[in-house]
Amino acid sequence: MVLPPQIILLGEIPMLENKFNKFLSLPEVKFIKKRNLTNHTIEFEAIKQSTFEVCPKCATKSYKVYDHVYVNIKDTPIRDKQVFLKIRKRRFKCPNCSSVFREPVQGIVKGFRSTQRFRSHIRWCASNFTDLKRVKDKCKCSTWMVYKAYYEQLNLEVKKLDYPWPKTIGIDEHSFVRNTKTHFKEFATIFVDFNNDRVRDVALGRSYDELSNSHIIDIKGRENVKNVVIDMSSTFKKFARTHFPNATITVDKFHVIKLFNHHLNTIRIETMKHRVFEYLKRVEPLQ
Ligand SMILES: [Zn+2]
């Protein structure tokens, strides 16, 4: 009996192995063995698959394996089980400068004993859990590790956000809190990156002096900005003219319509007060 092709495909173990590796493994690493160390700890033995490595000292390709070493790397837990990767790393000998070096693995920073995704997992736990003990219990690591990974990951995110001005930006104000002493609303100015659909930066205050003395003017690439979208505020117009010299200033459609509606409504109310309408209001119920 000949089975339909899909049944044969489902039964193919290599395909499942590939999926398993793709789902759990790091980009360049292949799992070759799984071991349960305890009821709550899993170990995956893994190897890196590449034909050559590049010498970190002289950037020469090396194909010659010198020897092997095992490294134990902590990875993101699977459900409640701790995961360790036991990676069999090759050490290469450079044909040019004869130095011996270990192959790097994508997803593990040199010298670190845990994967980047595990450190990112700690950062997620530290942001979402209410106390440090829960983070420690969930990630099975020390307080020191939680602090280290948390601030390291935050720094990485800050670096990602630090890029020059895009081509099109928007400037708008936003009130977020009322001052407890003066009872006036406090304002912040938001700079929107329209090219990437995200907030680029926020500055406290909304006056020209506050914005000119803020960190906003330190962001590089002000001359790259070609379009600045603002409301009808003269402060933002002055700020955009001074600090974004190559930009065309556009007034946001939303603010124009809002202003138009306000005037239209004022005229409507005034018109309705006219004596003709007052008369009609009185006679209409009789008809
Ligand atoms: Zn070399």
Side-chain angles (χ1 to χ4, degrees), residues 142-248:
S142 63
T143 315
W144 176 84
M145 182 64 192
V146 174
Y147 275 109
K148 192 172 182 296
Y150 184 65
Y151 287 106
E152 167 199 295
Q153 295 300 311
L154 285 186
N155 270 333
L156 281 178
E157 280 183 29
V158 168
K159 271 186 193 170
K160 262 189 229 167
L161 299 179
D162 190 21
Y163 58 90
W165 285 109
K167 202 176 159 191
T168 305
I169 62 162
I171 311 175
D172 205 359
E173 65 189 18
H174 182 72
S175 67
F176 62 100
V177 72
R178 202 174 277 276
N179 191 312
T180 47
K181 285 179 189 167
T182 60
H183 298 288
F184 283 116
K185 271 185 181 175
E186 297 244 10
F187 282 88
T189 305
I190 296 177
F191 293 80
V192 183
D193 170 359
F194 279 120
N195 296 103
N196 297 302
D197 285 334
R198 55 177 298 274
V199 172
R200 173 63 184 83
D201 220 314
V202 181
L204 202 62
R206 58 171 174 171
S207 71
Y208 180 82
D209 288 341
E210 280 171 323
L211 294 179
S212 299
N213 294 322
S214 68
H215 63 284
I216 294 294
I217 56 159
D218 298 329
I219 301 172
K220 287 172 188 163
R222 277 189 274 139
E223 63 286 350
N224 300 342
V225 180
K226 299 286 177 218
N227 305 297
V228 178
V229 183
I230 55 170
D231 57 8
M232 287 175 169
S233 152
S234 55
T235 312
F236 291 158
K237 194 175 166 186
K238 188 181 168 190
F239 183 79
R241 279 223 173 115
T242 319
H243 295 93
F244 302 104
N246 301 328
T248 309

Side-chain angles (χ1 to χ4, degrees), residues 55 58 94 97 99:
C55 171
C58 66
C94 174
C97 67
S99 64

Side-chain angles (χ1 to χ4, degrees), residues 257-271:
I257 293 171
K258 193 182 161 195
L259 201 69
F260 174 77
N261 277 347
H262 174 73
H263 282 292
L264 188 72
N265 218 16
T266 315
I267 294 165
R268 186 186 62 79
I269 292 165
E270 284 301 313
T271 315

